[in-house]
């Protein structure tokens, strides 16, 4: 039954009433669907959040990546140095330089001095060679970085992603340079001590008793 607010106005037609009813019904359906869509979207968000919490992906910074790559690049060199130290501890350091001694049990002062000098000379050459290797690598890294920076400055029309690539390259190069500078400084500090330790070891070696008679 239709109640009119104005009893003197003509009653609405049935078609009008049906249209209004269908319109109200459609609005109700739309609201219901909107609520359902909102609930479904919320469930998807919660589900995605749970998956993200279960699988946490840590994105490494450019400098962390550079640090790891620099460490990887120095693994072989470190292994060589460790092996050299092991060889020095286990291999007889003096025997190769006693080949010209006629009688090791009666070594002369001249023979002892020659053996000692040749042994120290070999040690000095190895230390200098190691320093030269590190210095050459350091010079190469500095030169490569300078060329890369100059090329980047000349090329003003950078392609997409070029800035990130350049930043990554510079970070890796700077870290490698820092590592090499530290290694060179450490090598220079320990080289003198290694040389002095060998000299003292030679003076106390019983096979070079001729030195004590000097």
């Amino acid at each position: 039954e239709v109640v009119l607010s104005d009893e003197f106005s003509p009653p609405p037609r049935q078609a009008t009433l049906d249209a209004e009813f269908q319109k109200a019904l459609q609005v109700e359906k739309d609201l219901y669907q909107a609520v359902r869509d909102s609930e479904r979207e919320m469930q998807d968000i919660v589900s995605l959040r749970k998956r993200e919490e279960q699988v946490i992906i840590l994105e490494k910074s450019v400098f962390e990546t550079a640090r790891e790559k620099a460490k990887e690049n120095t693994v072989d060199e470190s292994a060589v140095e460790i092996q050299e130290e092991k060889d020095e501890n286990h291999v007889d350091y003096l025997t190769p330089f006693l080949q010209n001694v006629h009688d090791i049990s009666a070594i002369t002062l001249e023979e002892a001095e020659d053996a000692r000098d040749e042994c120290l000379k070999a040690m000095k050459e190895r230390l200098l060679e190691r320093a030269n290797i590190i210095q050459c690598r350091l010079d190469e890294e500095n030169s490569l970085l300078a060329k890369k920076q100059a090329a980047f400055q000349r090329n003003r029309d950078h392609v997409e992603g070029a800035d990130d690539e350049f930043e990554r390259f510079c970070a890796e190069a700077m870290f490698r340079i820092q590592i090499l500078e530290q290694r060179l400084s450490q090598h220079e500090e320990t080289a003198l001590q290694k040389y002095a330790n060998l000299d003292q070891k030679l003076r106390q070696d019983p096979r070079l008793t001729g030195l004590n008679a000097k």
Side-chain angles (χ1 to χ4, degrees):
E1 180 181 359
V2 178
V3 179
L4 299 177
S5 59
D6 186 357
E7 59 181 2
F8 299 104
S9 61
R13 297 179 180 181
Q14 186 63 38
T16 302
L17 293 176
D18 291 342
E20 292 293 335
F21 176 75
Q22 293 296 330
K23 183 178 180 180
L25 185 61
Q26 186 62 44
V27 169
E28 183 179 358
K29 289 182 178 180
D30 292 341
L31 290 175
Y32 179 75
Q33 186 63 40
V35 172
R36 291 288 302 274
D37 292 341
S38 178
E39 291 178 350
R40 188 179 300 108
E41 182 179 358
M42 182 63 66
Q43 291 176 356
D44 292 340
I45 294 175
V46 173
S47 178
L48 177 61
R49 182 64 179 273
K50 288 182 178 180
R51 289 197 300 269
E52 290 178 347
E53 291 176 352
Q54 291 174 354
V55 183
I56 300 176
I57 301 176
L58 299 178
E59 295 184 358
K60 299 177 182 178
S61 67
V62 172
F63 297 100
E64 289 174 338
T65 303
R67 185 176 296 109
E68 290 183 357
K69 288 188 177 181
K71 288 181 178 179
E72 292 175 358
N73 292 335
T74 57
V75 167
D76 292 339
E77 185 176 343
S78 299
V80 171
E81 290 184 352
I82 292 174
Q83 185 60 43
E84 287 181 352
E85 292 180 358
K86 289 182 178 179
D87 292 342
E88 290 176 0
N89 293 332
H90 293 86
V91 178
D92 188 351
Y93 61 94
L94 184 57
T95 297
F97 307 101
L98 297 176
Q99 302 301 319
N100 296 326
V101 177
H102 296 291
D103 185 0
I104 190 64
S105 61
I107 187 172
T108 66
L109 173 59
E110 183 179 359
E111 290 174 334
E113 289 179 339
D114 288 343
R116 179 197 63 189
D117 293 344
E118 289 298 321
C119 187
L120 289 173
K121 180 182 178 182
M123 166 64 80
K124 183 178 180 180
E125 290 176 350
R126 288 200 302 273
L127 293 173
L128 288 175
E129 181 182 8
R130 173 61 59 186
N132 289 334
I133 291 174
I134 300 176
Q135 184 64 58
C136 286
R137 288 193 57 191
L138 180 59
D139 293 341
E140 290 175 357
E141 289 291 346
N142 280 312
S143 177
L144 185 61
L145 177 60
K147 290 179 181 179
K148 189 76 171 181
Q149 290 173 333
F152 184 80
Q153 292 296 328
R154 287 196 302 268
N155 185 13
R156 296 297 182 182
D157 299 328
H158 304 308
V159 298
E160 184 178 356
D163 290 346
D164 294 338
E165 181 181 354
F166 176 71
E167 180 183 358
R168 186 178 301 106
F169 174 86
C170 289
E172 293 176 3
M174 290 300 297
F175 192 80
R176 288 194 299 269
I177 289 172
Q178 181 183 8
I179 292 294
L180 290 171
E181 288 176 343
Q182 292 175 352
R183 292 175 69 86
L184 181 59
S185 176
Q186 182 180 10
H187 176 76
E188 291 174 347
E189 292 176 359
T190 59
L192 294 177
Q193 187 62 45
K194 288 182 178 180
Y195 188 87
N197 290 342
L198 179 60
D199 185 32
Q200 182 66 24
K201 196 173 183 179
L202 289 169
R203 294 180 182 278
Q204 297 175 352
D205 195 299
R207 290 169 294 180
L208 299 180
T209 54
L211 294 176
N212 298 327
K214 185 175 179 180

